Amino acid sequence: MGTTNTYTISLWFKRSGLGTTQRLFTPFEATENDQEGIYFGSDDTLNMKKSGSGGVATSSGVFRDTSGWYHLCFQNDAGAAEYWINGVSQGTTTGFPASAAGAGRFGNKVGGSEYFDGLMSYIIYSDGTAYAPTVFGSTDSDTGEWVINTAPTVTYGSQGFFILKNGNSVTDQSGEGNDATISGAGLTQTEDCPD
């Protein structure tokens, strides 16, 4: 990820295991015990943490549905951070640090812990632009469900990327050439996807 204080992360996820601390992403890694990011607590709330002595913005609800896809949109706009699930704001904070070049992680934190148990798809990182969740999804007028926009119009920036686009490839689909690296056991492709 680029060293920037303004960026957006959009990703679709489906939970499998519940009741443990699981990391969706960590945009900046200072040390193993001092990281900001978005993670599920063992009580299945979703939390946005600032690093160091920064606070935690915890969702008012829990996320225990293992049958449906959720959409996470995280926005850091010059230090003012907010995160949404399916278009509904879950919390805000100020003074959120900039991301650091090459330091982003999805599905775990530094030190190889807090692994996400589930599926992820359509991961987009926009370097330098703060986008609303409505760029990546919308509410279906018939069903009332949040549905994916499979071709969002975004500016990726020099460090931006689009990976896991309906498959297990971490080759960047944005045109920026910022491929991801897989660590651990690797990825398994599934026919289950959010579109």
Side-chain angles (χ1 to χ4, degrees), residues 96-122:
F96 205 87
S99 68
R105 284 181 178 257
F106 292 88
N108 73 335
K109 68 181 247 186
V110 104
S113 60
E114 298 182 3
Y115 289 101
F116 177 69
D117 186 357
L119 306 174
M120 288 189 185
S121 188
Y122 282 86

Side-chain angles (χ1 to χ4, degrees), residues 117-135:
D117 186 357
L119 306 174
M120 288 189 185
S121 188
Y122 282 86
I123 299 177
I124 294 174
Y125 174 68
S126 173
D127 171 25
T129 307
Y131 288 108
T134 50
V135 170

Side-chain angles (χ1 to χ4, degrees), residues 23-104:
R23 181 76 48 153
L24 282 177
F25 78 89
T26 304
F28 175 72
E29 301 162 357
T31 68
E32 184 172 350
N33 297 316
D34 181 22
Q35 300 179 66
E36 72 248 15
I38 301 288
Y39 67 93
F40 288 102
S42 59
D43 60 356
D44 297 317
T45 58
L46 193 59
N47 304 278
M48 176 175 62
K49 180 187 184 300
K50 292 196 301 184
S51 63
S53 60
V56 176
T58 301
S59 63
S60 59
V62 295
F63 298 90
R64 295 183 175 139
D65 181 2
T66 57
S67 64
W69 284 89
Y70 292 101
H71 174 239
L72 167 73
C73 181
F74 172 84
Q75 176 192 99
N76 186 9
D77 189 359
E82 184 169 4
Y83 71 115
W84 296 263
I85 293 291
N86 296 346
V88 178
S89 179
Q90 302 298 311
T92 61
T93 188
T94 57
F96 205 87
S99 68

